[in-house]
Amino acid sequence: MNILLAMIPAFLWGTTYAVTKYATPDWPPILLGALRALPAGILLWLIKPSLPKGRQWRGLTVLALVNIALFFAFIFVMAVNLPAAIAGVGMVSVPVVAMIYTWVVKGQRPSAVQSLCAVAIVTIAWLLFDPQHVELSLLGLAALAGALLCIVIGSSLVQTVSMHIHWWTVLTWQLIIGGTALLIAAAVQASIFTPDAYIPLSEPMTAKQWIALFWLIVPNTALAYTLYVWLLGRMTVVEFTFGTIANPIAGIVTAVILLAEHYQGWQYALMALMIMFSVLPQGVNLAKQRLRPVVAAQPRQEK
């Protein structure tokens, strides 16, 4: 049941790329990140007010800058500059980045299954992202790499910070601090660096854009992040990973429905293979964990 619940936030996050490109394709990514994070954080704070204490601010600020400010900026750069389905499927490369990170930083060597799946994901991604078949932006691909790195580093920071701060405070204040940082960055960009990027905002907002902002703020961020943190306290990371399969599926489905993106059969097959190989190592580990009690419970036969 928990795995099914884990698919809800993953699916909601997977809609980000198509919804953004459908309703606000000309809006600056930094501003979109601020509009997504800050109102959601304030909403959660109003539901249950909390306030960090003393030295907790430092850890929360570092977490917010990586996990929200940088990550949301990268996400919306991807949404604007990459096909929505490609952006969603590209995010399943997280296990590869996580494997390399834990190997280099923590010295944890990957298992044989993890290594084989990583090679398979990289190979398939190389074929899927071939410029001869799909027109891709270098800026969008760079943002994808940055987002993947933020997920891995941010997850490590969340584990560290959550050991000393209540999870609701971490959830609320990382959105508020990260959203505030993005809002300041957007103000600086609009006033000094690229004010022309904000010209589309001079037009009155359409109903489509209001609905898109509501979707990004309430279900996509406030609800999804709350459910995500709540579930992590009730299931293992391995189990939760199975739910993330809904993320690229949502990206593909919403790209077809909202943007009329269509690909050839072999491209959809490659997308499916990337999704499969991304969850295969976790599937093997979960199977081993569930088999151990069964094996231990079997009586030994005397020889």
Side-chain angles (χ1 to χ4, degrees):
M1 182 62 181
N2 282 340
I3 293 177
L4 294 177
L5 289 176
M7 290 183 180
I8 297 174
F11 187 91
L12 291 172
W13 291 331
T15 65
T16 303
Y17 319 105
V19 169
T20 301
K21 208 159 198 172
Y22 174 70
T24 56
D26 300 324
W27 288 24
I30 294 177
L31 179 63
L32 283 168
L35 293 175
R36 179 187 177 191
L38 187 54
I42 294 173
L43 175 62
L44 293 175
W45 185 86
L46 290 173
I47 293 173
K48 184 181 179 182
S50 63
L51 188 66
K53 301 176 182 178
R55 297 180 181 178
Q56 294 178 346
W57 285 102
R58 181 178 179 181
L60 277 173
T61 300
V62 174
L63 171 64
L65 292 178
V66 174
N67 211 34
I68 299 299
L70 281 175
F71 178 63
F72 277 22
F74 285 138
I75 284 294
F76 284 109
V77 170
M78 288 168 51
V80 172
N81 292 279
L82 289 178
I86 295 296
V89 174
M91 292 300 287
V92 304
S93 303
V94 168
V96 178
V97 179
M99 183 189 73
I100 296 173
Y101 177 81
T102 54
W103 191 3
V104 173
V105 176
K106 300 182 180 181
Q108 298 177 2
R109 293 179 63 88
S111 66
V113 175
Q114 288 176 322
S115 300
L116 289 173
C117 288
V119 171
I121 289 173
V122 172
T123 303
I124 295 168
W126 182 270
L127 296 173
L128 182 61
F129 297 162
D130 187 345
Q132 295 182 358
H133 302 288
V134 180
E135 185 177 350
L136 299 175
S137 162
L138 290 178
L139 179 60
L141 291 175
L144 172 60
L148 292 172
L149 195 58
C150 282
I151 290 175
V152 175
I153 297 176
S155 298
S156 179
L157 289 173
V158 167
Q159 290 178 337
T160 302
V161 172
S162 298
M163 292 174 62
H164 310 286
I165 308 174
H166 190 272
W167 69 268
W168 184 266
T169 303
V170 174
L171 168 67
T172 302
W173 282 97
Q174 70 168 338
L175 288 168
I176 293 175
I177 296 171
T180 302
L182 285 168
L183 188 61
I184 294 172
V188 172
Q189 181 189 21
S191 59
I192 299 176
F193 294 107
T194 54
D196 291 347
Y198 289 78
I199 291 178
L201 297 174
S202 61
E203 300 290 333
M205 285 184 59
T206 64
K208 179 172 66 175
Q209 290 172 330
W210 280 112
I211 293 172
L213 283 180
F214 174 83
W215 178 264
L216 291 174
I217 293 168
V218 181
N220 187 277
T221 304
L223 175 61
Y225 271 83
T226 301
L227 190 55
Y228 162 68
V229 176
W230 181 80
L231 282 170
L232 281 182
R234 290 159 175 77
M235 60 192 303
T236 66
V237 176
V238 172
E239 291 174 329
F240 187 85
T241 304
F242 273 94
T244 61
I245 194 174
N247 187 294
I249 293 174
I252 295 170
V253 171
T254 51
V256 172
I257 295 174
L258 296 179
L259 305 173
E261 287 185 8
H262 294 286
Y263 301 89
Q264 299 179 34
W266 64 270
Q267 290 173 311
Y268 284 117
L270 290 178
M271 293 179 189
L273 285 173
M274 280 192 70
I275 296 171
M276 182 191 74
F277 280 113
S278 72
V279 299
L280 183 58
Q282 289 78 14
V284 172
N285 289 335
L286 186 61
K288 288 180 180 179
Q289 292 174 7
R290 292 186 174 180
L291 282 174
R292 284 171 190 165
V294 176
V295 174
Q298 291 180 347
R300 296 181 179 181
Q301 294 182 353
E302 296 184 1
K303 295 183 179 179

